[in-house]
Amino acid sequence: MAKNLLNRILSRFVEIKPGEEVIASLLFLYLFLIMFPYYIIKPYRDAKYLIELTSARLPYAYLLTALFMGFFVHFYTKLQVRIQRRVLIISSVTFFALTCLLSRWLFDQELSWMPLAFWVWANTFIVVLVTQFWILVNDVFNPREVKRLIGFFGSGGLLGGILGGVLTGLLGRDMPDIVLIIASGLLILSIFVVNHIFIWHRKKSAPSDQVGHKHRETGEEQVKVGFIDCFNTVRKNYYLKLLAGVVTLTFIVSTFIDWQSKTVIDIRIERMDEKLEFFGYFHAALLVIPFLISILMSSNILKRYGIRVTLLLFPLVLLLCIFGIGYWPEVFVFALAIKAGDKSLSFSINQYVRELLYIPISPELKYKAKVFIDMFLNRFAKGIGALILLFLVYVYLPPENWQWDWRDKVQLVSIIGVIFIGAWLLLNIKVSKEYTNIVKQKLEMKWDRGDRVVAEKMDVDYTKLVFDTIESRNRSSVLYAMHLFDLIKQDKLTPEVKKLISYKADERKVSSLGGLFESGEITLVPEMDDMLSEEVLDKEVKEIMSLDVYQEVMKGYIDKVLVDKTDDTETSKMELAKAIGLMESHSPLAQKLEELLEDESPEVSKYAIESAARLKRREHVPALIYKLHNPLTREDACTALEKYGERIVGTLSDYLRDYDEDFGLRREVASVLARIPIQDSADFLAWELAEDDGDMDPELIDALDRIRSRKPDIQVQEEVIKTKIFKEIKKYYQILIKFYDQKSKAKKPKISEKLSENLAASMMNVFKLLGLIYPHEDIFRAYQNIRTGTKDSVDYAVELLDNILPKQIRDIVFPLIEELHLEERVKRCRTLLKTFPKV
């Protein structure tokens, strides 16, 4: 009951599903208890450093932090494989809580090196604990869940930061010595929250916090891990290298901005207590905007604009800010604005998107990559920024040259910052594209179109010829010989096939057509023992076909057979149909094939159709098209028309668009066009789809899908397809609403089952349409995992679509596929129907 109440409360602020309320609340509290003490520590760190060492020495702090983090990460990676994650996180929090108290005592000793050491310690504190938090998030959630919830538990950290900053501001003037003690106490409280998170996670799934630890239990050799191994993991992976580049540029720019803002603040505010009070309130105020963004907008921004656009938001805002302070360096407001722009998005949108980019990576790569990138590289990037600042401040614009003041240095840093932001934008575009590829790799293709599999993996014509050859053995020696001749001409009479078809060859029957040659010196089929003589058979058949009297004799025989209407002539007609196919296309006897195509016998028609496909005479096309009526000859007619290729696409389109023709025939013509995958076929089918009243939509959509599956480079008219997508989704919504209404009335359950089948068919049509204008393989990879995948694969499928489809299409497609209660799904459908364009 308490859980349900918590769910109802949280659902007012965030899209949360049953069962997620506990872990989301725990993660909210965990990050709150990390960021609260940090934003007590951070103002103290900044104030102490600027008072005792001044802003001129800030680059040294950045550089020393980078160097220290290199050694620390090497040490940390060793611990990560030897200690369970739960123990490692709790130990880390305990360590920082105790050293925070120790720092308070060391400051009382007035040691000259303490401000610099405390700066390095504070940076290590936030890097380690925040990285551990996000690794834990990666363990618990998949990308779709994170997109929904990241704004919520991320806002916990921002709220903690606001309260920490405000508290420091309140105590900064009167009781500055107590703030570090409060920070230490808050860290100790976070230990209990971390423990509860691992208890919850262990109950919900198999423990995943034993990376490396499991090797000790099984006696396996431990996985090699260390700083070099983490570095190599990133170096060998293109996607991780892009992420590393993005993080490096992000923190170099952030270092420039931090130096610019602190330089202005250091000049304007002089006393320690004033600095501590200012930094407390300032850091708290900085987090108000990201807190509001996180709790109210983060998930919506990510869902509305996707990762690609959201990644560009942060650098574009900083570009505007850095222009401002570069142009008006003496304006104090710009010093505050540039820092506000940096931190407001750095701790909200940018942080969340960066964590999303890690989620599709496999765990064994992810943990090494996050240690190297998030712990070491971000501070190393600040070190690079520090070296650039040192060069600019002390070499390019040396202090002893009095013509350069702090304003010139701030402006020069702005110019350099613009260059780095430009490179950052380019890398963000690349990483967003690669993210889509990584998500795609998480999804398996469950099946392929049957016709495509058959076409790719089986030579249907060859298989049919072999079986026809074997079958003709017992019907006619002439048919048998002509089939053998076919095999020889195609160079497919392999030893294996030869053995198969020559088995008991002496039992062949002699047909009436063979009698034409019985008195001659030429034997159509030579005597053979166990093996066939290809050379002899080829030679003798060709001699028969080239005889001067052949055409005249065959003409008379054909006329005789065609006049005979008795059933006894079926074999003779089959022989004639086969023989005509062996002739040249321009032979006068080829005209007789049309009569054979019209024969009522399916066997005769089959041979006539096969010969028509070989001759490819245009006058045979109408007869072949009308053979599509008969289920017994339909497939042979389709194959024959397919062999004509693009020559008859225009003729086929005439039949397709002739509304006086039989509906079934037009449907089969669409299927034939699908077998000729050229741009003209797609254009004719799309035009018919645009003009059709909907009766043939499934056949036309399937035909276009078949073309795109074979030739993804073929383009289909986008506006036509988008109109049909809206129409098909509208149909789906209406079916779903009808299904829901009937189910709620609890009447006629059989109708509900039928409606459910209609929903599945409508969804398939929607995805086939999507595959016509967006990457076909990606669309169907997503569709198959939505239909048959696990919960995680469904979420990854939706994430893939989120990065492929434009917002207008996403908004109407996602209610079909997202995991929603039926009532909520119907509610969304009713709402969206009101906004649909007229189609």
Side-chain angles (χ1 to χ4, degrees):
M1 187 69 180
K3 288 183 180 180
N4 292 335
L5 177 61
L6 180 60
N7 184 275
R8 286 198 297 272
I9 294 171
L10 294 180
S11 62
R12 296 178 182 178
F13 306 98
V14 64
E15 186 183 341
I16 194 165
K17 296 181 180 179
E20 295 176 340
E21 59 276 351
V22 173
I23 187 61
S25 300
L26 287 172
L27 288 168
F28 177 96
L29 190 57
Y30 177 21
L31 194 56
F32 174 86
L33 291 173
I34 292 174
M35 301 305 289
F36 197 149
Y38 176 67
Y39 273 85
I40 293 173
I41 293 166
K42 186 175 182 178
Y44 197 90
R45 175 203 72 181
D46 291 349
K48 279 286 187 182
Y49 193 93
L50 292 178
I51 285 295
E52 299 191 24
L53 299 176
T54 75
S55 62
R57 292 186 173 86
L58 276 174
Y60 296 112
Y62 301 144
L63 189 58
L64 184 60
T65 302
L67 294 173
F68 176 78
M69 287 305 298
F71 293 105
F72 180 82
V73 168
H74 178 73
F75 170 72
Y76 183 86
T77 53
K78 299 293 185 183
L79 290 179
Q80 185 172 255
V81 294
R82 289 174 170 81
I83 302 175
Q84 293 182 14
R85 190 165 302 126
R86 172 176 168 273
V87 175
L88 181 61
I89 292 176
I90 291 175
S91 300
S92 299
V93 176
T94 304
F95 168 79
F96 286 112
L98 295 176
T99 49
C100 185
L101 287 174
L102 178 62
S103 298
R104 177 69 199 86
W105 180 78
L106 290 173
F107 272 118
D108 288 340
Q109 310 308 309
E110 298 184 353
L111 302 171
S112 60
W113 50 265
M114 190 57 197
L116 182 58
F118 189 71
W119 181 284
V120 174
W121 175 89
N123 282 319
T124 306
F125 161 87
I126 192 61
V127 167
V128 172
L129 296 190
V130 170
T131 300
Q132 289 176 340
F133 170 81
W134 288 113
I135 286 177
L136 196 53
V137 169
N138 274 258
D139 285 343
V140 175
F141 295 115
N142 62 47
R144 296 305 298 174
E145 293 167 335
V146 170
K147 274 191 176 181
R148 284 189 293 104
L149 300 173
I150 195 168
F152 172 67
F153 49 70
S155 64
L158 296 170
L159 181 61
I162 292 170
L163 295 179
V166 170
L167 182 66
T168 306
L170 290 172
L171 301 178
R173 282 184 181 271
D174 303 323
M175 294 183 291
D177 297 338
I178 200 174
V179 292
L180 293 184
I181 298 172
I182 295 173
S184 181
L186 290 167
L187 286 172
I188 292 171
L189 287 177
S190 70
I191 294 172
F192 299 98
V193 177
V194 171
N195 192 52
H196 275 84
I197 291 173
F198 278 98
I199 291 172
W200 181 92
H201 191 41
R202 189 163 52 245
K203 289 178 180 178
K204 293 293 181 180
S205 60
S208 62
D209 62 325
Q210 299 182 10
V211 177
H213 185 71
K214 61 184 179 182
H215 297 283
R216 295 197 306 275
E217 295 176 354
T218 58
E220 298 177 18
E221 184 181 353
Q222 286 188 16
V223 177
K224 180 185 176 183
V225 68
F227 179 79
I228 300 300
D229 189 51
C230 292
F231 167 74
N232 286 331
T233 298
V234 175
R235 181 179 61 84
K236 294 176 182 178
N237 186 292
Y238 177 67
Y239 179 65
L240 292 177
K241 282 194 289 187
L242 288 176
L243 275 180
V246 168
V247 169
T248 300
L249 291 172
T250 302
F251 281 94
I252 288 175
V253 173
S254 180
T255 304
F256 293 164
I257 289 172
D258 190 58
W259 179 85
Q260 287 177 310
S261 61
K262 283 190 172 67
T263 297
V264 177
I265 292 168
D266 190 32
I267 291 170
R268 293 301 184 92
I269 304 174
E270 297 180 355
R271 290 172 46 189
M272 167 65 187
D273 58 344
E274 290 178 344
K275 277 188 168 68
L276 182 57
E277 181 184 27
F278 169 80
F279 279 121
Y281 286 128
F282 179 60
H283 287 309
L286 282 182
L287 296 180
V288 172
I289 294 175
F291 173 74
L292 295 175
I293 291 174
S294 294
I295 197 97
L296 300 175
M297 298 172 61
S298 287
S299 297
N300 289 331
I301 289 173
L302 283 168
K303 289 174 68 175
R304 185 178 181 88
Y305 298 108
I307 282 181
R308 184 168 301 177
V309 174
T310 310
L311 270 172
L312 300 179
L313 181 62
F314 185 37
L316 288 174
V317 169
L318 292 189
L319 188 62
L320 292 175
C321 293
I322 210 166
F323 266 125
I325 197 170
Y327 195 77
W328 293 291
E330 69 281 353
V331 179
F332 189 59
V333 172
F334 274 111
L336 304 182
I338 191 173
K339 191 66 178 175
D342 178 22
K343 293 306 175 186
S344 63
L345 293 177
S346 175
F347 288 131
S348 55
I349 296 295
N350 189 63
Q351 177 73 43
Y352 303 156
V353 174
R354 198 166 73 237
E355 295 305 326
L356 270 174
L357 295 174
Y358 280 112
I359 291 177
I361 304 171
S362 61
E364 61 272 17
L365 294 179
K366 183 190 306 178
Y367 301 133
K368 293 179 183 179
K370 283 189 73 67
V371 167
F372 178 78
I373 295 174
D374 288 358
M375 284 192 176
F376 168 73
L377 193 59
N378 63 2
R379 297 301 152 177
F380 181 75
K382 281 186 169 288
I384 296 174
L387 290 174
I388 296 171
L389 288 172
L390 286 171
F391 173 79
L392 295 175
V393 174
Y394 289 100
V395 179
Y396 190 77
L397 300 177
E400 60 270 15
N401 192 335
W402 295 107
Q403 64 177 324
W404 305 113
D405 64 6
W406 63 272
R407 297 174 186 82
D408 299 307
K409 295 174 182 178
V410 169
Q411 288 176 333
L412 181 60
V413 170
S414 289
I415 294 170
I416 302 300
V418 168
I419 297 171
F420 278 94
I421 290 174
W424 181 12
L425 286 166
L426 291 175
L427 271 186
N428 275 349
I429 293 170
K430 284 189 175 183
V431 81
S432 64
K433 291 180 180 178
E434 191 62 23
Y435 170 79
T436 303
N437 293 331
I438 296 296
V439 171
K440 193 189 310 180
Q441 292 170 15
K442 305 289 286 186
L443 303 172
E444 296 180 359
M445 286 291 284
K446 306 289 186 180
W447 68 83
D448 204 344
R449 285 190 63 111
D451 48 31
R452 181 177 172 183
V453 172
V454 170
E456 290 178 353
K457 299 191 176 181
M458 179 181 291
D459 188 336
V460 178
D461 288 342
Y462 176 43
T463 304
K464 181 176 179 297
L465 180 57
V466 171
F467 279 97
D468 284 348
T469 304
I470 296 171
E471 190 275 335
S472 67
R473 247 181 3 198
N474 299 321
R475 182 183 285 271
S476 163
S477 60
V478 173
L479 281 175
Y480 182 53
M482 286 189 285
H483 281 108
L484 291 175
F485 185 58
D486 267 351
L487 287 168
I488 292 170
K489 281 176 59 177
Q490 297 177 32
D491 196 26
K492 291 181 178 178
L493 192 59
T494 62
E496 294 79 11
V497 172
K498 194 181 293 185
K499 287 181 180 180
L500 177 65
I501 63 178
S502 62
Y503 179 66
K504 294 186 178 180
D506 58 322
E507 296 181 1
R508 294 186 306 277
K509 298 180 182 178
V510 178
S511 77
S512 54
L513 183 58
L516 285 173
F517 309 100
E518 287 176 357
S519 59
E521 297 180 355
I522 299 173
T523 304
L524 182 63
V525 182
E527 292 293 330
M528 294 177 287
D529 295 326
D530 293 331
M531 300 297 289
L532 296 167
S533 173
E534 296 176 10
E535 294 80 7
V536 173
L537 180 61
D538 186 20
K539 179 183 177 182
E540 296 205 4
V541 171
K542 284 185 176 180
E543 285 180 2
I544 292 173
M545 300 295 288
S546 63
L547 288 174
D548 294 338
V549 298
Y550 182 76
Q551 297 287 322
E552 184 178 346
V553 172
M554 285 298 294
K555 183 179 182 302
Y557 183 74
I558 290 172
D559 291 339
K560 176 184 174 182
V561 171
L562 293 178
V563 170
D564 190 347
K565 302 299 182 182
T566 64
D567 295 337
D568 298 335
T569 60
E570 183 183 54
T571 300
S572 298
K573 290 179 179 178
M574 292 165 61
E575 294 167 350
L576 289 175
K578 181 72 175 177
I580 291 173
L582 297 176
M583 300 174 189
E584 296 295 331
S585 178
H586 54 76
S587 171
L589 294 179
Q591 298 175 3
K592 299 293 184 179
L593 189 62
E594 192 161 351
E595 294 183 56
L596 293 169
L597 283 169
E598 296 173 358
D599 196 89
E600 295 180 357
S601 167
E603 291 295 320
V604 175
S605 292
K606 183 184 76 169
Y607 280 99
I609 290 168
E610 179 186 310
S611 292
R614 294 185 179 197
L615 299 176
K616 296 184 177 66
R617 291 172 67 112
R618 188 172 289 276
E619 63 263 27
H620 296 150
V621 172
L624 289 172
I625 290 175
Y626 281 106
K627 283 295 177 183
L628 297 172
H629 275 297
N630 190 340
L632 297 176
T633 58
R634 182 175 298 149
E635 183 56 34
D636 291 317
C638 283
T639 302
L641 291 166
E642 179 185 356
K643 290 179 180 178
Y644 274 81
E646 60 185 87
R647 295 170 51 205
I648 62 165
V649 166
T651 303
L652 290 170
S653 71
D654 291 338
Y655 280 87
L656 178 66
R657 306 187 74 180
D658 186 350
Y659 297 104
D660 293 330
E661 283 288 356
D662 178 72
F663 176 79
L665 179 66
R666 293 175 57 231
R667 183 175 57 193
E668 295 304 327
V669 167
S671 176
V672 175
L673 281 169
R675 296 181 179 221
I676 308 173
I678 62 173
Q679 187 63 55
D680 284 348
S681 297
D683 289 342
F684 286 129
L685 288 166
W687 290 336
E688 180 60 23
L689 185 64
E691 296 179 8
D692 191 72
D693 58 6
D695 293 338
M696 275 189 62
D697 278 6
E699 289 78 16
L700 295 170
I701 292 169
D702 186 70
L704 285 165
D705 174 65
R706 184 171 179 177
I707 290 175
R708 279 276 289 179
S709 69
R710 292 176 63 183
K711 296 288 182 68
D713 57 322
I714 287 178
Q715 301 299 309
V716 186
Q717 300 168 53
E718 188 168 333
E719 288 307 312
V720 171
I721 301 307
K722 282 186 175 179
T723 300
K724 282 295 177 180
I725 288 172
F726 276 95
K727 182 177 178 180
E728 195 65 39
I729 291 178
K730 183 176 181 179
K731 174 183 171 184
Y732 182 98
Y733 287 178
Q734 291 169 340
I735 293 172
L736 180 64
I737 292 169
K738 183 178 179 182
F739 174 81
Y740 176 76
D741 291 342
Q742 291 199 0
K743 184 176 181 181
S744 62
K745 294 176 183 177
K747 294 179 180 179
K748 299 183 180 180
K750 290 185 179 179
I751 296 178
S752 293
E753 291 175 9
K754 179 65 176 176
L755 288 172
S756 181
E757 292 173 6
N758 290 340
L759 284 174
S762 185
M763 179 180 283
M764 178 178 285
N765 284 337
V766 169
F767 275 86
K768 284 181 178 178
L769 286 165
L770 291 172
L772 299 180
I773 54 177
Y774 304 110
H776 186 274
E777 183 180 337
D778 295 350
I779 293 294
F780 273 86
R781 190 184 296 270
Y783 171 72
Q784 291 172 12
N785 282 271
I786 287 167
R787 294 287 294 171
T788 63
T790 62
K791 181 181 181 299
D792 275 350
S793 63
V794 170
D795 284 337
Y796 277 113
V798 176
E799 180 67 11
L800 177 60
L801 293 174
D802 197 13
N803 287 275
I804 293 174
L805 303 178
K807 180 184 178 302
Q808 183 189 29
I809 301 296
R810 282 201 312 265
D811 288 348
I812 60 172
V813 170
F814 278 17
L816 278 61
I817 57 178
E818 285 187 317
E819 186 182 351
L820 300 169
H821 290 296
L822 180 59
E823 184 178 356
E824 175 63 22
R825 196 186 304 276
V826 169
K827 182 180 177 182
R828 287 196 187 183
C829 291
R830 291 188 198 275
T831 303
L832 286 168
L833 273 177
K834 298 175 184 178
T835 65
F836 259 49
K838 293 183 179 180
V839 292

